[in-house]
Every structure is written in C-alpha cells, then in structure tokens.
Amino acid sequence: MGDWKIGNDRRRRSTDQLRNFKEANDGQVAWDTEAPADFTYVYHPDRMLVRSADVGSFDSAVAALDKGVLEDTPRVDAELLDGELLRYVLPARVNGESVPELLDLLEEAGLQRGAASPDHWVHVAPGGGGSTLCPAIEPQETGLKEPCPPEAPRGKGDEVSVVVVDTGWNPPSGTDPRTPWLHDVDGDDELNGPDLRPYAGHGTFIAGVVRCTAPETKVFVEGFCIGGVGGGGVLESDMVVQLEEALDKDPRVINLSAGCRTRLDLPSIAFETFYRTRLHKLDCVLVAAAGNDSSPAPFWPAAFDWCVGVGSLDRDGRVSDYSNFGVSADVYALGRNHVNAFPDGTFVCHETPDKGDVRVFSTGMARWSGTSFSAPVVAGLIAREISERGCSAADARDAVLARSAYESDPGVGPIQTLRQPYF
C-alpha cells in the first residue's frame, strides 16, 4: 500500500502537495523524512549555501572528511548579495548521503552549526511538519461582487510604493471593471490561460488585498514563478535575487506571502544575509506570512525579529486552525475567507479531499483562506500609515502593531490581534 493511502485527509493532502511540487521541479526536490506527509522542510538535493565569512571553515571541514565521502570538491556556482552568500553545487556522495547528512558530517569535522545550510525551497504561504506547502485551501468560486474586507475610503496622503513578491500578476484584472481597485497595478505577467495552473492568481489576489486596505499605494507584483515554473516555489538562493529586484522599485513595504522551515529550525542564512546586506540600510519593512502549519516552530523569514510575521484570524477573532503561531506571528489579522480579484478560467483541484474537482471562475473574483492573505492586510495598514502620517516605514510598522490588542486564545496563548474594521 502506498503512503498516499495512509492516514487522514491532512496527511494525504501533504503528500499530494509534495509530490506535485517534486513533479514541477524534476530532480531538484528532496525532503527530510521518508514519508512525504511527515516532512519538515524541503531542499535542493545537490546544493548548499555558505556565508562568505565561513568559507575557510567550510573548506577545512570538507578537507577533514573521511576519504570517499565526496567524489570531488564542491564548487561555487553563484556568488549572491555582493559575494556575502555563496551557493555550492555538491559532487556525488559515494554512500548517497543527503545534504542534511553531509552537513552533520561537516559539523562533526569542525564546521560551526549554522555556517552552512541546505538551499531550502521557499513556497507560497508554505508549510511543513506534515502540514501544507501552500495556502490553507485551494481557491473557491464566489458569487460576491465586492471585495472582503472591503475597499477603504481613499485618503489624502502621498502615494506609497508596495512590492508584492509572489507568483506574478494577471494584467486583465488591472483594467477589469469588476475589480476597479486594481487600476494602475503593474507586475510580471504570470501568463494565465483559460486553464488555470496551481497558484495562478495568488499574487493578483494579494495585490487586491493591499489595494483595498491602502488605496494610496503604487503596487508592483514581482513574480518568482512565472508561467507555473517552480510549482509556486523558489529556492532560497533565487528568492534573495527576487527580493533584490524588488528593491529596485524603491518600496516602503514588501509583502512576501511565502517562507520555509529549515534544517534544525536554524535561521535561514539566505534571508539573514539579505537583511544584513540590503534591507536594514533602507526605509523599508518586510511583512511575511506566518505559514499554515498550525505550529509554533519558526517559519522564515516571518520568525526573524526584523520581519513582521502575520498569522491568520477567523471572522470571530479566533486564531485560524491552520495558522502558525508563536515566534512566526508578531500579529494576527483576518485570513479566513477573503474575497478579492482572481483570473477567469477553469481550475482543477490538485489536493485531497477536493482532488479532481473542477472550479469555474467567471466573475473576476475568488474566495481564499490562509496566512497568505493576512499578511497583505498588515502590509496595507503599514503603507496607509506611511501615506497619512508621512512617517518612516519603521515608525508606521510600530504604530500599526501598537494598535493591536493583546488577547489570549486557547491552545495558542497570548496574541496580538488586529480586528476589523481596519479603517
């Protein structure tokens, strides 16, 4: 019996997601457990990331390995973030050691823990730990004709630049009379056709949430998996390149409804290096989804103290059952049953329990749930604060978080929540 037949719908869904993801990225996907449903993190099977400051230690540890572990010397195939982060391609391992197993051996040989890491896969509002790799649900049809949460009244402040780093942009939504709040939004065309791919419309939907929350924004959607490449995911080493490109738009706020778990739950060295070499020098705030694992384990970059991690609330103000909590969620906002812009087309569900169901989208709108959609609420509120007060991004972030209410949720503990109405 295959493991896809074992367990409940949650385990089967995790297995569906991971196998679909592997198929979309042939030869580039591995995970840390035997059964797909039990995975914690996903990584490239032949790559490793090393901080430039730790290259000497890495080379010494490689030299100290027992002969026969590696068939050749690891080689650098990319120098990222001004050479502060190096990406190595690993040679064949004689006994078939995985990247995590090789890291264990290198650390035994003297490499400091955390100096090197797998090149983890970052996925759209992802998950792990036997949970999810994507939004809490697949998109659903809706008969509603107005966004929910609704469009805020337009203020009198200056326009604020927001970049949504995501799956790309659906250009027809920007001129569609059914979604007028998306006028003048721009981005990398995700190349939708009548048959919608998994994760199609994700970036467009998020741009809609930002615009509804903060109409005085100039929104650009930076695409990291255009045309379905990557199956909604991107490697850490490629994501920091996308974030660098996002900075070319001079954003005050970046929304990233994506992230990853990591080996041993160590901080992502790719995101940490991006912050240290780029983001901390700028008047810009990164807002990230906390993830949909129902877990307190750190989810990066949301778990960094310099990033605003956002968990999901249901409409009754309780933490959504899928939402991560703890260190990855600085604040919680509505994430359940958002309604916003979505491409017209036919979508075939890929995940248990809805696998094979056909959904037809013909209203320019969809209903969707997940921490993916909590994050742009907070990103929009920060942008709105910048516009109305003319303040720095950091001051706007602090002001928005200061308006959150301290509450307690059974099973989660003390939390900070932003309740509707938001304006």
Side-chain angles (χ1 to χ4, degrees), residues 38 100 124 161 181 220 256 266 272 277 307 311 316 323 341 349 370 410 423:
D38 297 325
V124 171
S161 174
W181 56 92
F220 187 89
L256 180 62
L266 294 168
E272 183 277 328
T277 62
C307 179
D316 63 2
S323 179
C349 294
F423 28 80

Side-chain angles (χ1 to χ4, degrees), residues 372-396:
S372 272
F373 316 116
S374 308
V377 170
V378 176
L381 289 173
I382 293 171
R384 187 179 180 89
E385 192 79 13
I386 295 169
S387 175
E388 292 178 351
R389 292 178 52 199
C391 61
S392 70
D395 285 347

